[in-house]
Amino acid sequence: MTSTSAYVKVNGLEMYYELHGADSGHRPLVLLHGGVLTIGLSFGAVLPALAAARRVVAPELQGHGHTADIEREMSVPGLASDVVGLLDGLGIDRADFLGFSLGGLTALEVAVRHPERVGRLVLAATHYRQDGYYEEVRDPEYASPRLPSPADFQEMADAYAAVAPDPGHFADFMAKCGTAAHAPLPWTADDLRGLAAPTLLVLGDTDFLRVEHAAEMRDLIPDARLAVLPATTHMALMRRTELLLPMLEEFLG
């Protein structure tokens, strides 16, 4: 398995990305990580297996990981535009997408606004309206077992400090991510009904979003499938390899 990393200039960003695996004839797979996370924190458990069969493109979004923040609000449409710009720079016309949490919102925006760029779509822990989240998750004062633990937050802080261009920016970066997470989402039910890409929705049974909301998305999106992983929190979702990898490999082909 080959692995390289580089930066690309897009929309004022110096966006960091990694390439894993070889060109095997399959469509490339784009991995989009969660908010406040890095490629490794989101996908370290699944990336080797996914890259064994296809080329994987994994960027770090605005302000995340190796990608420095810029004087621009953090928004789902902006992040999606950055990802499309990266694909343009790499000469990739069409790819499959696996997005987790904030990365799932970004992947959904790409699929809605640029359907010709998306082959298959995996949305992990992804909602399309803000009321898709449990109220307790949207209230930071609520000590919900669904929320990241202190150890999870420490892991995020450590990963940021290890690779961020400005490690001292973490508190401001966290606040910016929080604002983006609570912003109105840019989709309607008709947008989901119009999705062209076969879609797999994945969440944990103790996730941020309600299973009922994910089921609503499954009913709205043509040719959609839904998987709910048992005994799984939001932060554990992408680490449940024994359940997740067989589904991903079957769905992606």
Side-chain angles (χ1 to χ4, degrees):
M1 183 173 69
T2 60
S3 177
T4 61
S5 63
Y7 290 84
V8 64
K9 291 184 178 181
V10 55
N11 297 335
L13 284 179
E14 292 278 346
M15 178 181 263
Y16 173 86
Y17 67 93
E18 296 178 359
L19 299 177
H20 296 268
D23 186 358
S24 61
H26 293 286
R27 275 189 301 267
L29 174 64
V30 178
L31 301 182
L32 300 177
H33 60 75
V36 200
L37 301 178
T38 60
I39 297 165
L41 286 181
S42 286
F43 299 117
V46 297
L47 202 160
L50 294 175
R54 59 184 58 79
R55 171 59 58 89
V56 171
V57 181
E60 288 182 329
L61 303 173
Q62 175 189 344
H64 290 76
H66 299 75
T67 301
D69 200 5
I70 57 174
E71 291 296 326
R72 180 185 78 172
E73 69 171 350
M74 191 179 295
S75 71
V76 170
L79 298 177
S81 176
D82 297 339
V83 171
V84 171
L86 169 64
L87 296 183
D88 289 343
L90 294 175
I92 297 173
D93 295 328
R94 190 174 177 87
D96 296 333
F97 282 77
L98 164 54
F100 169 60
S101 197
L102 178 64
L105 300 178
T106 304
L108 178 55
E109 175 71 359
V110 175
V112 169
R113 309 301 172 199
H114 305 276
E116 74 284 355
R117 308 302 294 265
V118 181
R120 288 180 170 261
L121 180 64
V122 182
L123 300 177
T126 303
H127 56 310
Y128 88 100
R129 295 192 318 268
Q130 285 292 7
D131 65 357
Y133 269 12
Y134 286 95
E135 186 62 34
E136 67 198 62
V137 170
R138 294 190 286 167
D139 180 359
E141 301 302 319
Y142 194 101
S144 171
R146 301 179 186 278
L147 289 169
S149 68
D152 292 325
F153 281 116
Q154 188 61 54
E155 192 175 33
M156 296 177 203
D158 291 345
Y160 187 89
V163 301
D166 180 7
H169 185 61
F170 186 67
D172 291 339
F173 163 66
M174 282 276 289
K176 205 168 186 178
C177 287
T179 299
H182 292 92
L185 295 172
W187 312 296
T188 65
D190 283 341
D191 287 326
L192 269 64
R193 293 187 185 100
L195 283 176
T199 301
L200 172 62
L201 304 162
V202 184
L203 74 156
D205 63 352
T206 315
D207 213 316
F208 288 0
L209 69 153
R210 297 180 290 107
V211 173
E212 297 87 349
H213 182 78
E216 177 187 344
M217 294 177 67
R218 187 271 320 273
D219 291 342
L220 287 170
I221 299 171
D223 197 19
R225 311 177 194 180
L226 171 62
V228 181
L229 276 57
T232 303
T233 64
H234 185 80
M235 294 303 295
L237 181 61
M238 297 308 302
R239 300 171 183 174
R240 295 297 305 275
T241 54
E242 75 283 6
L243 298 175
L244 198 55
L245 283 173
M247 288 189 292
L248 294 175
E249 290 167 356
E250 187 275 335
F251 179 73
L252 295 171

Short mmCIF file of all heavy atoms in Angstrom, two decimals, residues 34 41 49 60 76 106-107 151 154 168 183 219 245:
data_model
loop_
_atom_site.label_atom_id
_atom_site.label_comp_id
_atom_site.label_asym_id
_atom_site.label_seq_id
_atom_site.Cartn_x
_atom_site.Cartn_y
_atom_site.Cartn_z
N GLY A 34 -14.51 13.76 10.93
CA GLY A 34 -15.44 14.47 11.79
C GLY A 34 -14.88 15.78 12.31
O GLY A 34 -13.69 16.08 12.20
N LEU A 41 -7.72 10.11 13.63
CA LEU A 41 -8.70 9.91 14.70
C LEU A 41 -10.02 9.39 14.15
O LEU A 41 -10.70 8.60 14.81
CB LEU A 41 -8.92 11.21 15.47
CG LEU A 41 -7.81 11.65 16.42
CD1 LEU A 41 -8.19 12.94 17.13
CD2 LEU A 41 -7.51 10.56 17.44
N ALA A 49 -7.80 -1.24 5.56
CA ALA A 49 -8.62 -2.19 4.82
C ALA A 49 -9.27 -1.53 3.60
O ALA A 49 -9.35 -2.14 2.53
CB ALA A 49 -9.70 -2.77 5.74
N GLU A 60 -7.77 16.95 5.17
CA GLU A 60 -8.13 17.52 6.45
C GLU A 60 -8.75 18.89 6.18
O GLU A 60 -8.16 19.73 5.49
CB GLU A 60 -6.93 17.59 7.39
CG GLU A 60 -6.57 16.18 7.87
CD GLU A 60 -5.43 16.07 8.85
OE1 GLU A 60 -4.50 16.92 8.79
OE2 GLU A 60 -5.45 15.12 9.66
N VAL A 76 -20.66 24.36 6.11
CA VAL A 76 -20.75 23.14 5.31
C VAL A 76 -20.60 23.45 3.82
O VAL A 76 -19.84 22.77 3.12
CB VAL A 76 -22.06 22.39 5.62
CG1 VAL A 76 -22.30 21.26 4.63
CG2 VAL A 76 -22.02 21.84 7.05
N THR A 106 -20.52 17.44 4.95
CA THR A 106 -19.78 17.93 3.79
C THR A 106 -20.01 17.04 2.58
O THR A 106 -20.24 17.54 1.47
CB THR A 106 -18.28 18.01 4.13
OG1 THR A 106 -18.10 18.83 5.30
CG2 THR A 106 -17.48 18.58 2.99
N ALA A 107 -19.98 15.73 2.79
CA ALA A 107 -20.22 14.80 1.68
C ALA A 107 -21.65 14.93 1.15
O ALA A 107 -21.88 14.86 -0.06
CB ALA A 107 -19.96 13.36 2.15
N ALA A 151 -11.69 11.96 28.05
CA ALA A 151 -10.56 11.30 27.36
C ALA A 151 -10.62 11.55 25.86
O ALA A 151 -9.58 11.73 25.21
CB ALA A 151 -10.56 9.81 27.66
N GLN A 154 -9.43 15.06 25.22
CA GLN A 154 -7.98 15.12 25.38
C GLN A 154 -7.28 14.57 24.16
O GLN A 154 -6.26 15.10 23.70
CB GLN A 154 -7.54 14.37 26.63
CG GLN A 154 -6.07 14.56 26.96
CD GLN A 154 -5.72 16.01 27.23
OE1 GLN A 154 -6.35 16.67 28.07
NE2 GLN A 154 -4.74 16.55 26.50
N GLY A 168 -1.58 26.85 19.35
CA GLY A 168 -2.25 27.73 20.28
C GLY A 168 -3.63 28.18 19.85
O GLY A 168 -4.33 28.86 20.61
N ALA A 183 -25.15 25.70 13.15
CA ALA A 183 -25.72 26.54 12.09
C ALA A 183 -26.85 25.79 11.38
O ALA A 183 -26.86 24.56 11.33
CB ALA A 183 -24.64 26.93 11.10
N ASP A 219 -35.89 6.79 4.20
CA ASP A 219 -37.12 6.78 3.41
C ASP A 219 -37.13 7.86 2.33
O ASP A 219 -37.76 7.69 1.28
CB ASP A 219 -38.33 6.96 4.34
CG ASP A 219 -38.56 5.75 5.24
OD1 ASP A 219 -38.02 4.66 4.92
OD2 ASP A 219 -39.27 5.90 6.25
N LEU A 245 -16.64 -2.78 8.53
CA LEU A 245 -15.89 -3.10 7.31
C LEU A 245 -16.64 -4.03 6.36
O LEU A 245 -16.64 -3.79 5.14
CB LEU A 245 -14.51 -3.65 7.65
CG LEU A 245 -13.48 -2.61 8.08
CD1 LEU A 245 -12.21 -3.28 8.56
CD2 LEU A 245 -13.18 -1.64 6.93
#
